[in-house]
Amino acid sequence: MKIMKKVSIISPCYNGAGYLARFLDSLMQQDYADVEFIFVNDGSTDDTENVFSAYRPRLEAKGWKVVYIKQENAGQAAALSAGLKVFTGEYLMWPDSDDILYAGHIAKKVALMEENPAAGIGFCRLNKVNEENPDKPLCVLERRQNGTNDDFAGDLLICRNILWPPVGAIVRASAFLEVNPGREIYAGAAGQNFQMFFPLAVRYSACYSPEILGAYLIRETSHSRQQTDYVKRQFDHEDTWIHTIMRAPLSDQEKSKAIIRTVNYFERLKDVYCRKIFPSAPGKSRKSQKIRLFGFIPLLKICRKKHRTVVKLFDFIPFLKIR
């Protein structure tokens, strides 16, 4: 008899009473027995706790271990970190509490990872659906593969060809704990999935399933749509990207190159947006930029010159030159 490997599912939730039952129903239809389900109530003020409590005995009747964590509202990243502190499975998933797992989702993802023992992370394809009609797919979300040249870490830095919804991912716990022994992520305002993906991507390969195993739900009130200020959202992401790069298993030179690449990417995004809002304003090319740790500690200064970029450590020590 083949022994199942335990899968831990962490699901943070804030005021999810209106859609939580649909997510829990999708868990009920899973046929994988050895599951640890960690539900993190991030200070909900609606009926979230009662909805979860109604499903808890049904999930436990499946043989699942159910862990309930309730905390003061601290945001998506802090809620996810609360679950990361206590999970015990050999595989890890962290779907949002408004996502939908299709039948066989867990078992097929585990099979994918077992077939690819060198991979630290695996992905399936997803249907993108809206709240009004979740049974009618709008499109298919996937990471398009480029043969054997899969630069997942590089693509993450510039948000190119990435399957961001966490319901599409599964992580090998031993790999995750190797690159994140502290079992937590930076409590920034955005970029939780980048923090989960990037450290793994620089150390391990990824594997991909051609099957559509779940649905990513678009809601007007979802976490990813709460911020309407585009420029602020880019600053939030840039801040998280830099913190994650600094903690990743990279050499100092690799970290510097990664920071330069991601800073340039976000600067282009903000510049394009500002040109749309202020089309008559003259464009300016920033010749230097300071990157501060925790918002005030001078860490790196990036000086852009005509034929090269110079990185200075602590604002004055020449550290790296890129031509």
Side-chain angles (χ1 to χ4, degrees):
M1 180 179 177
K2 187 176 180 180
I3 299 176
M4 283 188 171
K5 293 188 175 180
K6 183 191 293 185
V7 176
S8 292
I9 300 176
I10 303 172
S11 185
C13 184
Y14 175 70
N15 286 351
Y19 50 80
L20 181 58
R22 180 172 50 211
F23 168 65
L24 296 175
D25 282 336
S26 76
L27 293 184
M28 287 298 303
Q29 68 176 338
Q30 300 303 310
D31 57 0
Y32 198 85
D34 197 357
V35 173
E36 174 185 62
F37 179 49
I38 303 170
F39 185 78
V40 185
N41 183 349
D42 187 33
S44 298
T45 57
D46 64 357
D47 207 32
T48 291
E49 186 168 36
N50 289 332
V51 174
F52 171 77
S53 297
Y55 277 84
R56 181 169 187 168
R58 297 170 58 190
L59 292 167
E60 290 175 333
K62 290 167 61 69
W64 288 16
K65 176 184 177 182
V66 179
V67 179
Y68 180 61
I69 299 174
K70 186 175 182 180
Q71 63 181 30
E72 295 294 324
N73 180 241
Q76 186 88 349
L80 180 54
S81 289
L84 293 175
K85 291 288 187 183
V86 300
F87 86 90
T88 62
E90 293 175 80
Y91 289 111
L92 172 65
M93 297 165 51
W94 62 102
D96 291 330
S97 54
D98 58 356
D99 290 329
I100 302 169
L101 280 64
Y102 294 162
H105 180 109
I106 301 173
K108 290 178 179 179
K109 274 188 174 176
V110 171
L112 172 69
M113 297 301 288
E114 292 292 288
E115 293 166 4
N116 295 274
I121 186 168
F123 292 95
C124 66
R125 301 168 77 206
L126 300 172
N127 281 328
K128 181 179 179 180
V129 301
N130 62 28
E131 195 168 16
E132 290 72 27
N133 192 356
D135 295 325
K136 183 179 180 181
L138 302 174
C139 64
V140 174
L141 303 176
E142 63 180 337
R143 173 167 166 79
R144 297 178 300 279
Q145 298 178 60
N146 185 20
T148 57
N149 185 25
D150 185 23
D151 185 14
F152 184 34
D155 287 346
L156 280 165
L157 291 174
I158 56 174
C159 303
R160 178 180 61 195
N161 185 25
I162 301 298
L163 181 68
W164 287 114
V167 66
I170 183 170
V171 163
R172 197 179 305 278
S174 58
F176 175 78
L177 293 174
E178 179 186 336
V179 299
N180 192 344
R183 289 174 169 257
E184 64 181 358
I185 60 174
Y186 170 59
Q192 292 80 30
N193 295 322
F194 177 84
Q195 295 189 69
M196 297 293 288
F197 294 160
F198 185 73
L200 282 164
V202 300
R203 183 68 62 85
Y204 290 93
S205 62
C207 57
Y208 305 92
S209 168
E211 291 192 69
I212 299 173
L213 298 180
Y216 169 63
L217 191 79
I218 299 297
R219 293 185 299 108
E220 291 302 320
T221 57
S222 67
H223 172 75
S224 60
R225 290 174 173 247
Q226 286 177 1
Q227 299 182 49
T228 57
D229 186 339
Y230 178 86
V231 175
K232 181 183 184 303
R233 189 162 68 248
Q234 300 315 313
F235 274 113
D236 290 338
H237 280 93
E238 184 178 11
D239 177 58
T240 299
W241 261 235
I242 291 171
H243 275 81
T244 305
I245 292 167
M246 292 303 297
R247 296 171 59 180
L250 295 167
S251 68
D252 289 344
Q253 187 176 48
E254 289 170 329
K255 289 179 181 179
S256 296
K257 289 182 177 180
I259 288 173
I260 290 171
R261 191 175 185 189
T262 200
V263 165
N264 286 338
Y265 167 73
F266 282 109
E267 284 301 305
R268 287 195 298 271
L269 285 184
K270 288 177 278 191
D271 184 60
V272 168
Y273 179 78
C274 289
R275 286 174 184 271
K276 288 181 179 179
I277 301 300
F278 309 107
S280 60
K284 288 188 177 181
S285 176
R286 298 180 66 177
K287 294 184 178 180
S288 67
Q289 181 176 5
K290 293 182 180 180
I291 297 174
R292 301 177 185 274
L293 192 61
F294 305 118
F296 63 90
I297 303 174
L299 180 65
L300 297 175
K301 183 176 182 180
I302 302 174
C303 305
R304 297 177 179 85
K305 299 186 179 181
K306 186 174 182 180
H307 298 296
R308 69 183 187 276
T309 298
V310 179
V311 180
K312 295 183 179 180
L313 189 62
F314 302 120
D315 203 4
F316 64 90
I317 304 174
F319 181 70
L320 178 68
K321 294 182 180 180
I322 301 176
R323 294 186 177 276

